[in-house]
Amino acid sequence: MRSIIKDGQVAQDCWQVLRADTEGQYPAVAADVDVIIPLALWLADKAAWQGRAGQTAVWLAPDEDPQQLAADLNSLPLVAVDFPAFTDGRGYSLGRLLRERYSYAGELRALGDVWVDLLHYLWQVGFNAFEIKGGKDLDGALSGYDTFTERYQSTHREPVPLFRRRVTSL
């Protein structure tokens, strides 16, 4: 079982992320395993995935529209957003959309090329779980939440921008 960061703590994780191999084939998954599947598989046979003994969650690629998942969000215990490269920031927008436009209240996980340096920003847009890239010290990564003490812009976690906070505190 691997470890992730969830809600500000290092936690054990039982979810299996389902990804296609180089030939586009998906590995078989036991029916009682909790699995995170790509949006395309979910949309292709939603009823079959919902009828499994294990829990099913969905991951979004950065170019996918969360609107496609909007009707199912209340039934999903977890939605993940893939960050295929450290420099790909589209997942930040997906996270904020899921929290603010679609009011998703479940676990929102960042997976893929996720580094400690991103933790603070991902947390601010609404992510609460992180699969940090392998080989990194997760206990040390918790310091990523405190990278900055103030933010100029509004965020999901702090909706009032700094200039308004300063005016109201006088």
Side-chain angles (χ1 to χ4, degrees):
M1 191 175 291
R2 69 175 176 219
S3 296
I4 64 168
I5 295 176
K6 182 177 176 184
D7 297 325
Q9 300 178 3
V10 176
Q12 296 296 307
D13 182 52
C14 63
W15 290 90
Q16 178 182 341
V17 179
L18 193 63
R19 292 187 185 269
D21 63 19
T22 56
E23 297 175 8
Q25 301 299 313
Y26 291 96
V29 178
D32 61 344
V33 171
D34 295 341
V35 65
I36 307 172
I37 63 172
L39 177 63
L41 288 182
W42 175 258
L43 294 175
D45 197 357
K46 191 184 318 181
W49 289 106
Q50 289 173 320
R52 301 175 61 248
Q55 297 183 87
T56 302
V58 175
W59 65 264
L60 298 169
D63 61 345
E64 291 177 324
D65 185 354
Q67 172 65 37
Q68 295 178 303
L69 201 54
D72 304 318
L73 286 173
N74 286 338
S75 66
L76 293 170
L78 185 160
V79 174
V81 176
D82 188 34
F83 289 82
F86 179 78
T87 55
D88 190 337
R90 295 175 290 176
Y92 291 90
S93 299
L94 294 180
R96 194 155 183 182
L97 285 170
L98 285 163
R99 290 293 191 210
E100 295 181 2
R101 182 178 294 171
Y102 301 107
S103 302
Y104 180 66
E107 179 180 334
L108 183 56
R109 181 180 297 192
L111 54 87
D113 198 16
V114 178
W115 291 62
V116 174
D117 306 27
L118 305 177
L119 196 82
H120 175 83
Y121 301 108
L122 290 167
W123 171 256
Q124 288 300 316
V125 297
F127 287 90
N128 69 321
F130 312 92
E131 288 186 25
I132 302 296
K133 190 168 185 163
K136 305 296 180 196
D137 171 32
L138 292 184
D139 288 316
L142 294 174
S143 65
Y145 282 98
D146 302 322
T147 302
F148 301 102
T149 57
E150 289 290 343
R151 287 146 297 281
Y152 290 110
Q153 299 175 328
S154 64
T155 68
H156 170 71
R157 306 226 181 254
E158 193 166 48
V160 179
L162 181 61
F163 74 94
R164 291 212 187 265
R165 290 192 311 263
R166 291 188 69 191
V167 168
T168 57
S169 67
L170 294 178

